[in-house]
Amino acid sequence: MTPIDIGLISIVAIIVMIYLGVYIPIALGMVSFLAIWAMRGNVDLSFALLKIAIGDSAMEYTFATIPLFTFMGLIVSKAGLGADIYSVMNQGCRRITGGIGMATVGANAVFAAVTGSSIASASVFSKMSVPEMLRQEYNPRFAVGVVAGSSVLGMIIPPSAMLIIYSFVAEQSVGEMFLAGVVPGILLAIAYVAAIWFMGRFMPRAVGGRIIEQDDLMSWGEIAGKTLPILALIVVVLGGIYTGWTTPVEAGAAGSAIGILIAAVRRRINLRSFWETVIETGHITAAILFLITAASMYARMLGIAGLPNELQSILAANDFSFFWIMVLLVVLMLFLGTILDTASIILIVVPLFLPLIDDMGLSLVWFGIVAVVAAEIGLLTPPLGLSCFVIKATLDDDRIALKDVFLGALPFAFVMLLVLILLIRFPALSLAILN
């Protein structure tokens, strides 16, 4: 078989196994292990590469960023910082059509800067924002769509689990990936706010709602009390990385310590809940480690099969330009987004394109931002839009069907696509802070 045949068969086999209910890392690992065995006729080589893949993942110093940032995000959620920043944002946007939606986007952007999880954002703001918007007579589809769309900010605004996973697959600096995600994340949040304003101005029936007449406004002291803790976390984590005072691992440790302190001062945590947070962090970390190990094995299998070189030869022979390579990448990402989660898409697709992007002299940091944003669109598209499923499960409201969540998220998926095109066309948006 040709390298192309091996690559296509491996992708089809992985997708079929996932549909049959096989755990994604097991599917990746099994296909890679058996493919190497079949190609080389030596099972010892498969075991040797599996050992190397595990060592390269678990023994990396930067892998410590995963449990630390995961723990920090869980502690911050328990401390109630998401609710605080939402109430402040909501007060500032109360007199604008679609203001609660804008407040949700802003609060999600700030919350993402200390959690790095789209699923956590979707769960938290489904409980806070959607009931409030329904109470203020907003269109239910708009209400759930705003939460679904803005929840993906957690995957691009650092610290992001997806950026960490990409940094392992592409062997890039976690700190550089974090800094590269700042401007695109802010750009996406601004684009969402602009889209909400546009819908409120030109499609008011799709938005609904009424202007909130709020008499009991928070004082400046209350606002400071609700915003300063989360701003302190952002300054410590991202400021430390940006200035070079701390490595990503040290920033994660410092952020976790501050998160514990905030939760303790607010009396939102005790020994039992602390232990539950540690256990949950361990479960999440183990799952991510399993994914990274399987992806490392898969990338080595593709290298042994010669698929990257074969793809490069085909593209060179057909004179494929940068434009068409990006079109191929985005179309593949969007297609896989309808059946796989974000992490799986990155782990399957990125190893195929990395050699092509590297040989073209393009920045692998920029490519990581493009790949993560493209994969994140899948969080909003059926049938496996994970954020949409989380919102539906969290709400448990018979008035809102899963179809409503997907339809409400559709405009925001379109906005993400426009932002993705901008990031591809202008790489400086991703690399501005690094230069």
Side-chain angles (χ1 to χ4, degrees):
M1 289 188 291
T2 67
I4 296 294
D5 293 335
I6 295 173
L8 291 176
I9 291 173
S10 68
I11 292 175
V12 171
I14 290 168
I15 293 174
V16 169
M17 291 178 71
I18 291 171
Y19 260 111
L20 291 175
V22 178
Y23 190 41
I24 292 171
I26 294 177
L28 271 171
M30 284 183 60
V31 169
S32 304
F33 186 93
L34 295 175
I36 294 170
W37 187 3
M39 286 186 291
R40 291 292 184 262
N42 185 353
V43 70
D44 292 336
L45 178 60
S46 293
F47 278 113
L49 289 177
L50 178 60
K51 179 182 177 181
I52 293 172
I54 295 173
D56 287 351
S57 303
M59 301 306 293
E60 285 283 339
Y61 170 72
T62 53
F63 180 77
T65 54
I66 293 177
L68 288 171
F69 281 118
T70 299
F71 179 80
M72 183 180 72
L74 294 173
I75 284 291
V76 164
S77 296
K78 289 184 180 296
L81 295 187
D84 286 349
I85 198 66
Y86 171 71
S87 63
V88 173
M89 291 282 185
N90 203 12
Q91 175 173 302
C93 301
R94 68 189 185 282
R95 295 188 179 277
I96 305 173
T97 302
I100 299 182
M102 296 179 185
T104 301
V105 172
N108 247 317
V110 177
F111 192 63
V114 290
T115 59
S117 171
S118 292
I119 304 307
S121 296
S123 177
V124 168
F125 287 95
S126 292
K127 298 174 183 176
M128 293 188 303
S129 183
V130 174
E132 177 65 15
M133 280 193 271
L134 295 179
R135 190 172 67 85
Q136 299 298 335
E137 301 175 8
Y138 277 81
N139 187 316
R141 286 185 178 177
F142 173 79
V144 291
V146 168
V147 174
S150 58
S151 69
V152 302
L153 294 171
M155 290 297 188
I156 189 65
I157 295 178
S160 160
M162 289 304 105
L163 293 180
I164 295 175
I165 290 175
Y166 173 84
S167 70
F168 278 100
V169 175
E171 298 181 355
Q172 297 298 300
S173 164
V174 174
E176 289 188 358
M177 291 305 307
F178 280 0
L179 294 177
V182 172
V183 174
I186 294 174
L187 177 64
L188 184 57
I190 293 173
Y192 280 161
V193 171
I196 292 171
W197 175 87
F198 180 87
M199 288 189 287
R201 178 70 175 81
F202 299 101
M203 296 179 289
R205 293 185 61 184
V207 175
R210 55 187 173 86
I211 295 175
I212 304 173
E213 297 296 339
Q214 191 171 348
D215 297 325
D216 53 337
L217 299 179
M218 286 183 286
S219 66
W220 287 108
E222 289 177 295
I223 293 174
K226 289 178 179 292
T227 56
L228 287 180
I230 199 166
L231 291 178
L233 267 175
I234 294 172
V235 169
V236 168
V237 175
L238 297 184
I241 295 173
Y242 180 71
T243 58
W245 291 348
T246 59
T247 65
V249 174
E250 292 166 346
S256 297
I258 294 175
I260 293 173
L261 180 62
I262 293 172
V265 169
R266 293 185 166 198
R267 298 182 179 180
R268 299 288 185 89
I269 192 171
N270 52 36
L271 287 177
R272 180 177 179 179
S273 59
F274 177 81
W275 179 246
E276 290 172 351
T277 302
V278 171
I279 295 298
E280 189 175 356
T281 299
H283 289 164
I284 295 172
T285 302
I288 294 176
L289 174 60
F290 203 179
L291 272 170
I292 292 174
T293 300
S296 178
M297 187 76 173
Y298 180 68
R300 285 174 167 80
M301 183 274 290
L302 293 179
I304 292 175
L307 181 59
N309 292 334
E310 184 72 13
L311 280 176
Q312 184 179 356
S313 299
I314 293 174
L315 294 175
N318 291 277
D319 197 24
F320 271 40
S321 63
F322 167 78
F323 172 81
W324 287 110
I325 292 176
M326 287 296 102
V327 169
L328 178 62
L329 170 71
V330 173
V331 170
L332 184 58
M333 288 280 198
L334 294 181
F335 168 72
L336 291 178
T338 63
I339 54 177
L340 298 175
D341 64 278
T342 307
S344 302
I345 297 169
I346 291 175
L347 295 174
I348 292 173
V349 176
V350 166
L352 296 174
F353 282 84
L354 272 180
L356 303 175
I357 300 299
D358 197 22
D359 289 341
M360 294 174 69
L362 300 172
S363 169
L364 295 184
V365 173
W366 159 81
F367 177 66
I369 300 299
V370 170
V372 169
V373 173
E376 279 181 14
I377 299 177
L379 288 175
L380 306 179
T381 54
L384 195 68
L386 197 54
S387 283
C388 297
F389 277 99
V390 169
I391 290 169
K392 172 57 181 170
T394 303
L395 285 175
D396 194 22
D397 189 333
D398 294 335
R399 295 174 298 173
I400 299 176
L402 183 61
K403 174 185 175 182
D404 295 320
V405 184
F406 279 118
L407 289 176
L410 191 59
F412 297 94
F414 178 72
V415 171
M416 283 191 72
L417 185 59
L418 295 179
V419 171
L420 176 61
I421 293 172
L422 279 178
L423 295 175
I424 293 174
R425 178 63 181 83
F426 302 103
L429 292 172
S430 302
L431 304 175
I433 296 181
L434 298 176
N435 296 330

